[in-house]
Amino acid sequence: MRRSGPPGPAGDRHWRGSARLAVSCALIFCALSLLVDWDAGSLTPLRALLWATLSAAVCAVLLPQRVSAGPGWLAVCTSWRRHIVRTDALTAVRQYDGISSHLVLRDVYGHHLELDPRVLTANPLIWHELDTGARRSLERGTLRQGAEVLHQLGDRIDEETVQAVLRASGLS
Protein backbone atom coordinates (compact mmCIF):
# COMPACT_ATOMS: atom_id res chain seq x y z
CA MET A 1 0.00 0.00 0.00
CA ARG A 2 1.41 3.37 -0.99
CA ARG A 3 1.44 6.17 1.49
CA SER A 4 0.14 9.45 0.12
CA GLY A 5 0.95 12.86 1.48
CA PRO A 6 3.92 15.14 1.49
CA PRO A 7 7.36 13.60 1.13
CA GLY A 8 9.68 13.46 4.12
CA PRO A 9 12.42 15.97 4.67
CA ALA A 10 15.38 16.03 2.31
CA GLY A 11 18.58 14.82 3.94
CA ASP A 12 22.28 14.77 3.13
CA ARG A 13 22.71 11.60 1.09
CA HIS A 14 26.46 11.45 1.79
CA TRP A 15 26.23 11.83 5.57
CA ARG A 16 26.16 8.11 6.40
CA GLY A 17 29.34 7.43 4.48
CA SER A 18 31.11 10.36 6.11
CA ALA A 19 29.88 9.31 9.56
CA ARG A 20 31.06 5.75 8.91
CA LEU A 21 34.49 7.10 7.96
CA ALA A 22 34.66 9.21 11.15
CA VAL A 23 33.77 6.24 13.34
CA SER A 24 36.21 4.00 11.47
CA CYS A 25 39.05 6.50 11.94
CA ALA A 26 38.28 6.77 15.65
CA LEU A 27 38.18 2.98 16.06
CA ILE A 28 41.46 2.54 14.18
CA PHE A 29 43.05 5.27 16.30
CA CYS A 30 41.84 3.52 19.46
CA ALA A 31 43.01 0.09 18.32
CA LEU A 32 46.45 1.32 17.24
CA SER A 33 46.91 3.35 20.42
CA LEU A 34 46.02 0.37 22.59
CA LEU A 35 48.23 -1.92 20.52
CA VAL A 36 51.27 0.36 20.71
CA ASP A 37 50.75 0.94 24.44
CA TRP A 38 50.33 -2.82 25.04
CA ASP A 39 53.44 -3.60 22.97
CA ALA A 40 55.44 -1.10 25.03
CA GLY A 41 54.23 -2.84 28.17
CA SER A 42 52.72 0.31 29.63
CA LEU A 43 49.01 -0.40 29.08
CA THR A 44 46.97 -0.04 32.27
CA PRO A 45 43.19 0.22 32.71
CA LEU A 46 43.55 3.96 33.27
CA ARG A 47 45.60 4.39 30.07
CA ALA A 48 43.08 2.25 28.15
CA LEU A 49 40.32 4.57 29.39
CA LEU A 50 42.40 7.55 28.28
CA TRP A 51 42.83 6.10 24.77
CA ALA A 52 39.10 5.32 24.54
CA THR A 53 38.26 8.88 25.62
CA LEU A 54 40.66 10.37 23.08
CA SER A 55 39.15 8.14 20.40
CA ALA A 56 35.68 9.39 21.29
CA ALA A 57 36.98 12.95 20.97
CA VAL A 58 38.45 12.13 17.54
CA CYS A 59 35.08 10.75 16.48
CA ALA A 60 33.25 13.87 17.72
CA VAL A 61 35.64 16.15 15.82
CA LEU A 62 35.46 14.15 12.58
CA LEU A 63 31.71 13.50 12.64
CA PRO A 64 30.13 15.72 9.98
CA GLN A 65 27.10 17.92 10.48
CA ARG A 66 23.81 16.30 9.51
CA VAL A 67 21.82 18.61 7.25
CA SER A 68 18.13 18.22 6.45
CA ALA A 69 15.49 20.47 4.93
CA GLY A 70 11.77 20.59 4.44
CA PRO A 71 9.19 23.10 3.28
CA GLY A 72 10.21 26.38 4.88
CA TRP A 73 13.00 25.12 7.16
CA LEU A 74 16.62 23.99 7.17
CA ALA A 75 18.28 22.12 10.04
CA VAL A 76 21.91 21.36 10.89
CA CYS A 77 22.58 18.80 13.60
CA THR A 78 26.00 18.66 15.20
CA SER A 79 27.21 16.28 17.89
CA TRP A 80 25.92 18.66 20.56
CA ARG A 81 23.09 20.80 19.14
CA ARG A 82 20.47 21.16 16.48
CA HIS A 83 20.15 24.51 14.70
CA ILE A 84 17.02 25.31 12.67
CA VAL A 85 16.19 28.37 10.57
CA ARG A 86 13.02 29.22 8.76
CA THR A 87 14.05 29.57 5.12
CA ASP A 88 10.80 31.32 4.29
CA ALA A 89 11.66 34.02 6.88
CA LEU A 90 15.36 34.63 6.23
CA THR A 91 16.80 38.04 7.03
CA ALA A 92 20.46 37.55 6.03
CA VAL A 93 22.69 35.12 4.19
CA ARG A 94 26.44 35.54 4.29
CA GLN A 95 29.19 33.45 2.77
CA TYR A 96 32.62 33.33 4.34
CA ASP A 97 35.44 32.04 2.18
CA GLY A 98 38.82 30.89 3.32
CA ILE A 99 40.19 27.60 4.53
CA SER A 100 36.68 26.31 5.22
CA SER A 101 33.99 28.11 3.28
CA HIS A 102 30.63 28.31 5.01
CA LEU A 103 27.25 30.00 4.77
CA VAL A 104 25.59 31.70 7.72
CA LEU A 105 21.81 31.93 7.55
CA ARG A 106 19.69 34.09 9.91
CA ASP A 107 15.91 34.25 10.20
CA VAL A 108 13.46 36.78 11.65
CA TYR A 109 13.11 34.70 14.84
CA GLY A 110 16.77 35.24 15.78
CA HIS A 111 17.89 31.72 14.84
CA HIS A 112 21.04 31.17 12.82
CA LEU A 113 23.08 28.28 11.50
CA GLU A 114 26.34 27.65 9.68
CA LEU A 115 26.46 25.35 6.69
CA ASP A 116 29.12 24.09 4.30
CA PRO A 117 28.01 25.08 0.76
CA ARG A 118 29.37 21.78 -0.60
CA VAL A 119 26.45 20.05 1.13
CA LEU A 120 24.08 22.06 -1.05
CA THR A 121 26.06 21.24 -4.17
CA ALA A 122 26.00 17.52 -3.39
CA ASN A 123 22.30 17.46 -2.41
CA PRO A 124 19.99 19.10 -4.95
CA LEU A 125 16.88 18.46 -2.85
CA ILE A 126 18.30 20.40 0.11
CA TRP A 127 19.34 23.20 -2.25
CA HIS A 128 15.82 23.25 -3.75
CA GLU A 129 14.22 23.61 -0.31
CA LEU A 130 16.62 26.44 0.63
CA ASP A 131 16.15 28.21 -2.70
CA THR A 132 12.36 27.94 -2.53
CA GLY A 133 12.31 29.30 1.02
CA ALA A 134 14.71 32.12 0.13
CA ARG A 135 12.47 33.13 -2.79
CA ARG A 136 9.53 33.33 -0.37
CA SER A 137 11.66 35.49 1.94
CA LEU A 138 12.43 37.82 -0.96
CA GLU A 139 8.74 38.03 -1.89
CA ARG A 140 7.81 38.85 1.71
CA GLY A 141 10.62 41.41 1.98
CA THR A 142 12.38 39.83 4.96
CA LEU A 143 15.59 38.87 3.12
CA ARG A 144 17.57 42.10 3.10
CA GLN A 145 21.15 40.83 2.90
CA GLY A 146 22.54 37.99 0.85
CA ALA A 147 20.16 37.46 -2.06
CA GLU A 148 23.13 37.86 -4.41
CA VAL A 149 25.07 35.23 -2.42
CA LEU A 150 22.28 32.71 -2.98
CA HIS A 151 22.04 33.68 -6.65
CA GLN A 152 25.79 33.13 -7.16
CA LEU A 153 25.64 29.84 -5.24
CA GLY A 154 22.70 28.72 -7.39
CA ASP A 155 24.63 29.54 -10.55
CA ARG A 156 27.65 27.58 -9.28
CA ILE A 157 25.48 24.59 -8.34
CA ASP A 158 23.78 24.65 -11.76
CA GLU A 159 27.15 24.84 -13.50
CA GLU A 160 28.56 21.91 -11.51
CA THR A 161 25.41 19.88 -12.18
CA VAL A 162 25.66 20.51 -15.92
CA GLN A 163 29.34 19.51 -15.88
CA ALA A 164 28.51 16.31 -13.98
CA VAL A 165 25.77 15.43 -16.48
CA LEU A 166 28.09 16.08 -19.42
CA ARG A 167 30.83 13.94 -17.85
CA ALA A 168 28.39 11.11 -17.12
CA SER A 169 27.09 11.18 -20.69
CA GLY A 170 30.60 11.25 -22.16
CA LEU A 171 30.11 14.64 -23.84
CA SER A 172 32.68 16.51 -21.78
Side-chain angles (χ1 to χ4, degrees), residues 58-81:
V58 166
C59 185
V61 167
L62 293 179
L63 194 66
Q65 297 176 333
R66 187 168 198 162
V67 180
S68 57
W73 60 270
L74 182 73
V76 173
C77 298
T78 64
S79 299
W80 317 111
R81 287 189 68 182

Side-chain angles (χ1 to χ4, degrees), residues 10-18 67 119-126:
D12 184 354
R13 50 189 183 165
H14 302 290
W15 183 83
R16 287 180 196 240
S18 298
V67 180
V119 172
L120 300 173
T121 304
N123 296 281
L125 295 176
I126 295 175

Side-chain angles (χ1 to χ4, degrees), residues 79-156:
S79 299
W80 317 111
R81 287 189 68 182
R82 182 175 184 187
H83 299 273
I84 300 175
V85 293
R86 295 292 309 180
T87 57
D88 54 1
L90 290 173
T91 58
V93 177
R94 291 190 179 96
Q95 182 166 5
Y96 297 95
D97 292 320
I99 294 173
S100 65
S101 177
H102 62 279
L103 289 173
V104 177
L105 304 152
R106 295 187 183 279
D107 66 14
V108 296
Y109 304 107
H111 302 123
H112 72 280
L113 62 77
E114 293 185 18
L115 171 71
D116 186 344
R118 292 178 296 184
V119 172
L120 300 173
T121 304
N123 296 281
L125 295 176
I126 295 175
W127 165 245
H128 174 71
E129 292 292 352
L130 173 59
D131 187 47
T132 302
R135 289 176 194 270
R136 284 194 196 112
S137 294
L138 274 172
E139 290 170 3
R140 293 176 181 164
T142 61
L143 183 58
R144 298 201 171 125
Q145 296 176 343
E148 64 281 349
V149 170
L150 290 174
H151 182 70
Q152 290 170 356
L153 183 61
D155 289 345
R156 191 168 56 219

